[in-house]
Amino acid sequence: MDCFLCKKADQPVCDNCNLIGVCKEHKHLHSFEQECLPYRVVWKENRGNTLVALRDIKPFQIIFQDSPVVLAPFDDNDIQCFECSKPMETWNPCPVCSLPVCDQECSIGPNHSAECEYFADSNLYSKGVPLNIIQTSISPIRMLEVKRKNPTLWKLVDSLEDHLEKRKKEKFWTYIKDTVFPFIKEHSTKDIDTNLASRIIGIYKTNSVKWEKRFGDKKYTIGHALCPIFSLLCHSCVNNTRYTVSEDHITVRACLPIKTGEEITSQYRGPNEGNILRRLDFPKNWKFECDCVRCMDPTELGTHSSTLVCPQCKKPDLYPRNSTMRSDFECRSCAFEMSYDIALEDTNRADKKLKNKTLLDSVESWEALLVELETQFHPNHFLCMKTIKTLIQLYGLRKGYTLTDLSEELINRKLELCRRFMDVYNIIEPGYRLWKGRLCEDMLGPMSLQLQSKFENKQIGKLEFMLGYRNIIKTVKEAAKCRQFMERNEEDDKMMGEYYKKWIEPLSNV
């Protein structure tokens, strides 16, 4: 049987699950905490290597853990230690290569060793070489050392897509060719194969993931990491996994049920904007056009996240004529037509207006903006949803609008906005999600106040009260499940437990 990961033929079958072949090199990657992991690599036309489920996978089940082969700073990061990635206020030069490090201990650390060897005695700090040029050189240099020292790991990296021919046509590649490679050639103690370094940069640009690390009580984005198994996850806008990043590894878990044989997918681009903006990013950043169920549906699964109000008949029925990326818009009520460029221009203009507002603006002005947007766009349009998300925050937090200040009318308004947001995003991002957990937590207070008020004012009886109480308990459980996709710590869990208790306990005494 083929190996589940590298597909090497005639490998022994896993003697635990009896579902897949495991080669000697990758046997350790098939299990986690003594349990066989539920995926294998399959080649699919027009998608390349993908992960598919070996068996039914339940929500929250770990699909795999992966660690970075190379973690490197972004091309434009501020000063940070090249060993531990801690942000630095000033450049403290390594005594060997002069690149920024925290101290003597970091200067001899394993992460920094590759570039330290390449740039030994280069005095880059005193020469005033721009930091961004140095940062861009780090990922190929570190990966070249992986190739030299760990051929098995390099094979996994080398199997990944680079889209190099397309990337060489971009302006960024001129910078690589005319600035970064000459810099390495001039200052490095070692020669590098620029063809191989080019492929590495292409692989990194296509497959790397943003990496975060906590220093003290604050989390920082420290760069991008290449995790070879995680890189095999293909994209779907309506994906079925969620990943969390810890200090040295990434954990991928199911966020909704995945059936045997179903593709396991990630999400390269967030869901919060409509297709009119989102779809442009896929060919730009990842060199493919997304053909998922959301992108192939002009109504975006019936959510109408990019649909406009028709200027002729005034109905919110103006959306793309078909699923091509730059399709012109057509009103389904009166057949009015609008070019894609004009629809994009109208959307960008309204988006810019929204971005110019802040949380310091009055609640009334945000409500007025929502009314204005609904004259131009479908009520479920992504710009309306962004405005609603802000209003949900303001009702309950803003001075004069805290939960105890809110009138019954405004409590109902907050809950109406929460449910409206959830109705749309339960379609766009089904399953257990961080946004859903936070929204459930935001609804908990208003639901409790509303239920208690109705009972005390004799608007509902004991039976209706108990049904409402059960619904609140269900909301708490939903929020708690979604929090499993957050970075957990005892202090935060305790704080959220107290928050849940604050709103439930008074009701349990009624």
Side-chain angles (χ1 to χ4, degrees):
M1 187 176 286
D2 293 352
C3 173
F4 78 104
L5 185 60
C6 69
K7 294 177 280 189
K8 188 185 296 182
D10 302 321
Q11 299 305 305
V13 176
C14 172
D15 54 13
N16 187 24
C17 69
N18 294 311
L19 291 174
I20 47 107
V22 286
C23 74
K24 184 178 178 181
E25 291 177 338
H26 300 133
K27 184 176 182 179
H28 69 288
L29 295 174
H30 175 52
S31 63
F32 177 77
E33 295 182 348
Q34 300 182 329
E35 182 178 348
C36 292
L37 293 174
Y39 75 92
R40 70 167 299 159
V41 177
V42 172
W43 172 268
K44 291 190 176 183
E45 194 67 33
N46 299 322
R47 289 179 76 76
N49 283 327
T50 66
L51 300 189
V52 298
L54 277 172
R55 56 180 183 270
D56 289 354
I57 304 173
K58 297 178 181 179
F60 308 112
Q61 186 175 346
I62 290 178
I63 298 171
F64 64 84
Q65 276 194 347
D66 199 8
S67 297
V69 175
V70 163
L71 172 61
F74 287 122
D75 302 338
D76 56 355
N77 270 20
D78 294 331
I79 300 174
Q80 65 187 101
C81 176
F82 274 36
E83 170 60 26
C84 70
S85 303
K86 185 177 181 179
M88 303 170 65
E89 292 184 6
T90 57
W91 186 321
N92 180 49
C94 169
V96 177
C97 66
S98 83
L99 297 184
V101 290
C102 290
D103 48 33
Q104 175 65 26
E105 184 179 353
C106 280
S107 72
I108 58 174
N111 294 330
H112 173 54
S113 61
E115 63 269 14
C116 193
E117 187 177 343
Y118 273 71
F119 295 126
D121 301 319
S122 61
N123 297 314
L124 296 177
Y125 175 64
S126 60
K127 291 175 182 177
V129 176
L131 181 61
N132 67 302
I133 298 174
I134 300 171
Q135 289 168 329
T136 307
S137 72
I138 299 303
S139 56
I141 285 173
R142 289 183 178 179
M143 193 65 79
L144 286 168
E145 287 302 287
V146 170
K147 181 179 184 298
R148 182 172 70 87
K149 296 177 180 178
N150 195 332
T152 300
L153 204 50
W154 167 251
K155 282 182 184 177
L156 290 178
V157 174
D158 195 35
S159 68
L160 300 175
E161 182 59 71
D162 59 21
H163 295 297
L164 194 54
E165 293 309 309
K166 292 180 179 178
R167 295 193 182 281
K168 284 184 175 180
K169 298 174 183 178
E170 299 173 339
K171 184 179 179 180
F172 172 77
W173 206 259
T174 302
Y175 164 69
I176 296 294
K177 179 170 59 74
D178 295 345
T179 302
V180 177
F181 286 162
F183 156 74
I184 297 175
K185 184 177 180 181
E186 179 182 352
H187 297 285
S188 174
T189 60
K190 298 183 179 183
D191 292 332
I192 68 164
D193 179 343
T194 55
N195 289 328
L196 180 56
S198 296
R199 170 153 166 71
I200 289 170
I201 292 172
I203 289 172
Y204 223 88
K205 287 287 182 184
T206 302
N207 299 282
S208 63
V209 61
K210 180 178 73 172
W211 205 260
E212 296 178 330
K213 188 175 180 180
R214 187 176 293 278
F215 295 98
D217 60 355
K218 189 174 181 181
K219 185 181 283 188
Y220 294 85
T221 298
I222 59 173
H224 46 173
L226 188 73
C227 302
I229 300 174
F230 181 78
S231 298
L232 294 172
L233 284 172
C234 286
H235 166 82
S236 174
C237 295
V238 189
N239 70 315
N240 51 25
T241 66
R242 171 80 189 178
Y243 69 86
T244 52
V245 172
S246 297
E247 291 291 313
D248 60 353
H249 64 269
I250 189 168
T251 302
V252 175
R253 289 184 286 173
C255 61
L256 59 142
I258 304 174
K259 295 292 185 183
T260 302
E262 186 178 343
E263 186 176 347
I264 302 166
T265 56
S266 185
Q267 195 178 70
Y268 298 178
R269 172 69 160 78
N272 294 331
E273 293 177 324
N275 283 353
I276 193 168
L277 297 187
R278 295 172 64 261
R279 292 186 71 186
L280 300 174
D281 280 352
F282 297 113
K284 177 182 176 182
N285 295 325
W286 297 284
K287 310 307 174 190
F288 71 90
E289 290 191 15
C290 184
D291 60 357
C292 76
V293 290
R294 179 179 178 182
C295 288
M296 292 297 98
D297 182 352
T299 72
E300 301 186 45
L301 306 179
T303 65
H304 291 279
S305 292
S306 297
T307 298
L308 282 67
V309 170
C310 175
Q312 182 165 286
C313 71
K314 308 303 180 184
K315 293 181 179 178
D317 241 357
L318 182 64
Y319 53 89
R321 181 178 293 122
N322 55 51
S323 62
T324 57
M325 193 163 66
R326 290 180 171 82
S327 167
D328 290 337
F329 280 45
E330 179 182 354
C331 179
R332 299 320 194 266
S333 292
C334 71
F336 175 82
E337 296 181 356
M338 177 183 286
S339 73
Y340 167 84
D341 289 338
I342 292 177
L344 179 62
E345 183 181 336
D346 288 350
T347 303
N348 279 329
R349 188 185 302 114
D351 190 31
K352 184 177 180 181
K353 185 171 185 177
L354 176 58
K355 287 175 179 175
N356 285 335
K357 287 190 67 63
T358 73
L359 288 173
L360 297 176
D361 292 334
S362 69
V363 174
E364 292 78 10
S365 72
W366 279 98
E367 286 281 15
L369 176 62
L370 180 58
V371 171
E372 179 184 337
L373 289 172
E374 288 173 342
T375 65
Q376 301 173 261
F377 305 101
H378 192 283
N380 291 349
H381 192 275
F382 78 90
L383 292 174
C384 296
M385 290 298 110
K386 285 185 175 183
T387 306
I388 285 172
K389 187 177 180 180
T390 300
L391 281 165
I392 291 170
Q393 288 179 274
L394 293 176
Y395 287 125
L397 291 178
R398 172 67 63 80
K399 185 178 180 181
Y401 289 90
T402 62
L403 287 181
T404 52
D405 293 330
L406 293 181
S407 64
E408 183 179 345
E409 181 183 358
L410 291 182
I411 287 175
N412 292 338
R413 175 60 173 164
K414 181 179 174 86
L415 287 173
E416 174 200 348
L417 294 172
C418 288
R419 289 171 179 137
R420 185 169 158 188
F421 188 92
M422 192 171 286
D423 285 346
V424 171
Y425 280 89
N426 270 339
I427 297 171
I428 290 175
E429 274 202 316
Y432 296 100
R433 308 282 181 166
L434 284 179
W435 68 263
K436 188 173 185 180
R438 293 182 178 122
L439 192 60
C440 285
E441 290 169 358
D442 224 352
M443 294 174 70
L444 184 57
M447 289 173 71
S448 300
L449 290 171
Q450 184 187 64
L451 183 64
Q452 194 165 26
S453 173
K454 285 184 176 180
F455 184 70
E456 289 174 353
N457 293 325
K458 302 188 185 307
Q459 294 174 284
I460 58 173
K462 190 73 173 180
L463 177 60
E464 291 90 347
F465 177 86
M466 292 306 299
L467 291 172
Y469 181 68
R470 283 186 185 179
N471 192 35
I472 290 171
I473 296 297
K474 181 181 176 183
T475 303
V476 170
K477 289 180 178 179
E478 194 83 355
K481 287 179 179 178
C482 291
R483 282 185 68 80
Q484 293 186 49
F485 289 112
M486 297 180 70
E487 184 182 353
R488 306 292 293 276
N489 65 66
E490 189 175 336
E491 187 177 335
D492 284 349
D493 285 348
K494 182 180 178 181
M495 181 183 70
M496 289 314 302
E498 291 296 324
Y499 181 79
Y500 297 156
K501 184 179 178 182
K502 171 186 175 182
W503 295 110
I504 294 175
E505 193 169 45
L507 296 177
S508 63
N509 296 324
V510 173

